[in-house]
C-alpha cells in the first residue's frame, strides 16, 4: 500500500507493508531487514493478547534486524515507533506497559492513537519518516 504524506515540507511516498500480525513476517525480517526504512509496531489497547504477541513474537526479531542493519552501516539505525491503537476504547493494556515495551525496543517513541477517530495517525507516519530521513537522505523519484 502506498501513501503520500507531507513531512516538514517534503512530500514523501511511503510504501507500507501491513503484516496484520502475520507470523511469517518474523521470517521476512531475517532476509529483508536492509530493505526497510522504519518499523511501526501497533497493538490494540483493548486486546491484551495483541500486546503480548507483539512483545513476544515481533520485538526480538525487530531488535535483531536493527542490530544487523547497524553492523552493516553503523550510521543507520532502523527507526521503530510503538503505537497503542484504539485509545478511544477501554484499555486492558496500560500506557505504562506500552512505555515499558518501548524502552525494551531501544527507547522507541511511544504514541497513543485511535485509527477510528483518526487521532495521531498522520503523526505516527510523520514521526517514522522524520527518524528514517535522519538516517538516510530522501530518495529522488
Amino acid at each position: 500500500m502506498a501513501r503520500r504524506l507531507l513531512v516538514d515540507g517534503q512530500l514523501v511516498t511511503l510504501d507500507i507493508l501491513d503484516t496484520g500480525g502475520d507470523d511469517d513476517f518474523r521470517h521476512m525480517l531475517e532476509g529483508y531487514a536492509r530493505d526497510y526504512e522504519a518499523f511501526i509496531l501497533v497493538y490494540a489497547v483493548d486486546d491484551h493478547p495483541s500486546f503480548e504477541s507483539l512483545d513476544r513474537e515481533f520485538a526480538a526479531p525487530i531488535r535483531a534486524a536493527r542490530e544487523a542493519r547497524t553492523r552493516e552501516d553503523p550510521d543507520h539505525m532502523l527507526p521503530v515507533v510503538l503505537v497503542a491503537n484504539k485509545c478511544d476504547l477501554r484499555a486492558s493494556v496500560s500506557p505504562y506497559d506500552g512505555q515499558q515495551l518501548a524502552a525494551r525496543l531501544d527507547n522507541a517513541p511511544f504514541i497513543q492513537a485511535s485509527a477510528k477517530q483518526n487521532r495521531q495517525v498522520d503523526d505516527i507516519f510523520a514521526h517514522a519518516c522524520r527518524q528514517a530521513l535522519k538516517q538516510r537522505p530522501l530518495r529522488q523519484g
Side-chain angles (χ1 to χ4, degrees):
M1 165 175 52
R3 178 177 177 167
R4 296 182 126 202
L5 185 67
L6 190 62
V7 178
D8 300 334
Q10 296 181 36
L11 185 60
V12 178
T13 301
L14 306 174
D15 186 13
I16 301 168
L17 174 63
D18 182 356
T19 67
D22 188 350
D23 287 336
D24 289 337
F25 179 67
R26 286 179 290 145
H27 304 293
M28 289 172 50
L29 283 174
E30 296 168 7
Y32 299 103
R34 69 180 54 87
D35 296 334
Y36 300 111
E37 298 297 329
F39 293 105
I40 299 173
L41 304 177
V42 182
Y43 66 90
V45 300
D46 68 330
D47 182 3
H48 206 274
S50 77
F51 175 79
E52 291 171 348
S53 174
L54 183 73
D55 190 11
R56 184 181 59 249
E57 304 295 330
F58 291 90
I62 285 177
R63 275 194 304 270
R66 292 179 82 198
E67 290 169 6
R69 171 71 71 85
T70 303
R71 280 192 302 274
E72 291 175 10
D73 183 357
D75 295 327
H76 187 189
M77 171 67 82
L78 278 168
V80 173
V81 177
L82 179 64
V83 178
N85 190 29
K86 299 186 179 184
C87 287
D88 53 305
L89 300 177
R90 183 179 171 103
S92 63
V93 180
S94 73
Y96 176 80
D97 290 335
Q99 291 165 346
Q100 293 300 307
L101 177 54
R104 290 192 300 277
L105 291 165
D106 299 323
N107 294 313
F110 174 64
I111 299 174
Q112 297 179 68
S114 169
K116 181 179 180 180
Q117 295 178 341
N118 197 28
R119 186 172 56 190
Q120 297 286 91
V121 174
D122 285 342
D123 292 339
I124 294 163
F125 291 104
H127 195 80
C129 285
R130 280 187 197 101
Q131 296 303 313
L133 289 170
K134 284 181 188 176
Q135 300 293 325
R136 185 172 295 213
L138 186 65
R139 293 180 191 166
Q140 300 297 320

